[in-house]
Amino acid sequence: MRKKIVAGNWKMNKTLEEAKALLSEVVNMVKDEVTGDVTVVLCPPALYLTTSRQYITAGGRVALGAQNCHEKASGAYTGEISAPMLQSIGVEYVILGHSERRQYFGETNAQLADKVNSALENGLTPIFCCGESRELRENGDYIGFVKDQLTDSLFHLSAETFAKVVIAYEPIWAIGTGLTASSAQAQDMHFEIRRHIAGQYGDAIAQDITILYGGSANEKNAAELFAQPDVDGGLIGGASLKSREFTNVVKAVN
Ligand code: PEP
């Protein structure tokens, strides 16, 4: 049975007071309004994770996620945060390989394989991001590119461990641009991702893996995107910063 998830990636936004207000609004709206079988993952800036924990009841519908972690468990890596640290404060999910981390911080597929390992070894669920640039979408083998991202960073995992990963397909050209992939474009790529996984791990695991769509998803387009058979929810950036809109996106999961 595939798990439906809507995750909010707050990126580098909100002061502490604003973050507390957003947390409390989202947690309450989800409690009062969301009836469907969907897990909501809130990913505030790392600085606010400990405070955020106080708003989120362990084992409930809302879970806490980080936006990144280092691949090593500890050591002389000034400014970094490790998977055991996240685990120790009750974080359950971690976004890995977001295109902004790949682009601005030079994260590679090989480094992401190490981050995925560290997250899984410490009981965190990686939300592993993949997706192609606009140039590739227009002129290149964009499906092959996304398949290679999965192969290089995830396919070393055993079947049992791979089954714990959540994948987020986020075409770079759609992130923060207002250019959403059409529901057909999202479905086509999610289908290809699932087929690629089936080739490595078999159909049963491929059918069970949660694959989220990310890229300018909002309260207007979410229902159509989430209605696609291979789209199991969303990774939401801009629209996760407003409680009303984000809750509406969550409610679009059926
Ligand atoms: C994201 O950064 O993960 C994202 C999907 O952003 P946005 O929804 O703003 O395009």
Side-chain angles (χ1 to χ4, degrees), residues 9 11 98 100 170 174-177 214-217 235-239:
N9 175 12
K11 308 191 186 186
H98 191 283
E100 288 152 15
E170 298 210 305
I175 296 180
T177 59
S216 298
L235 178 53
I236 315 298

Side-chain angles (χ1 to χ4, degrees), residues 129-172:
C129 302
C130 56
E132 79 287 358
S133 65
R134 184 179 202 142
E135 296 72 50
L136 260 179
R137 169 61 71 161
E138 286 170 0
N139 304 309
D141 178 13
Y142 60 93
I143 295 174
F145 178 83
V146 169
K147 286 181 180 173
D148 285 348
Q149 288 181 318
L150 300 173
T151 304
D152 294 353
S153 299
L154 299 178
F155 281 9
H156 61 284
L157 298 171
S158 69
E160 191 191 343
T161 310
F162 178 82
K164 296 177 181 157
V165 174
V166 171
I167 290 168
Y169 169 58
E170 298 210 305
I172 298 169

Side-chain angles (χ1 to χ4, degrees), residues 194-249:
R194 222 178 278 289
R195 183 155 69 175
H196 188 51
I197 294 167
Q200 176 74 8
Y201 292 107
D203 210 40
I205 285 184
Q207 287 306 322
D208 268 4
I209 284 283
T210 297
I211 308 178
L212 311 180
Y213 168 78
S216 298
N218 57 43
E219 62 188 349
K220 294 201 178 72
N221 57 31
E224 189 181 333
L225 286 161
F226 298 167
Q228 303 308 305
D230 286 302
V231 177
D232 307 313
L235 178 53
I236 315 298
S240 73
L241 298 173
K242 295 178 217 129
S243 54
R244 180 70 272 155
E245 174 150 28
F246 182 66
T247 306
N248 288 347
V249 172

Side-chain angles (χ1 to χ4, degrees), residues 77-160:
Y77 300 99
T78 302
E80 290 291 325
I81 293 169
S82 72
M85 292 175 184
L86 295 174
Q87 198 268 341
S88 76
I89 60 162
V91 171
E92 294 157 87
Y93 290 80
V94 58
I95 299 171
L96 291 177
H98 191 283
S99 60
E100 288 152 15
R101 301 246 12 126
R102 294 176 188 261
Q103 185 180 347
Y104 304 135
F105 301 95
E107 293 190 357
T108 62
N109 288 350
Q111 183 184 11
L112 288 166
D114 291 336
K115 290 190 180 212
V116 165
N117 290 345
S118 187
L120 288 163
E121 281 161 15
N122 290 285
L124 302 174
T125 299
I127 300 177
F128 179 80
C129 302
C130 56
E132 79 287 358
S133 65
R134 184 179 202 142
E135 296 72 50
L136 260 179
R137 169 61 71 161
E138 286 170 0
N139 304 309
D141 178 13
Y142 60 93
I143 295 174
F145 178 83
V146 169
K147 286 181 180 173
D148 285 348
Q149 288 181 318
L150 300 173
T151 304
D152 294 353
S153 299
L154 299 178
F155 281 9
H156 61 284
L157 298 171
S158 69
E160 191 191 343

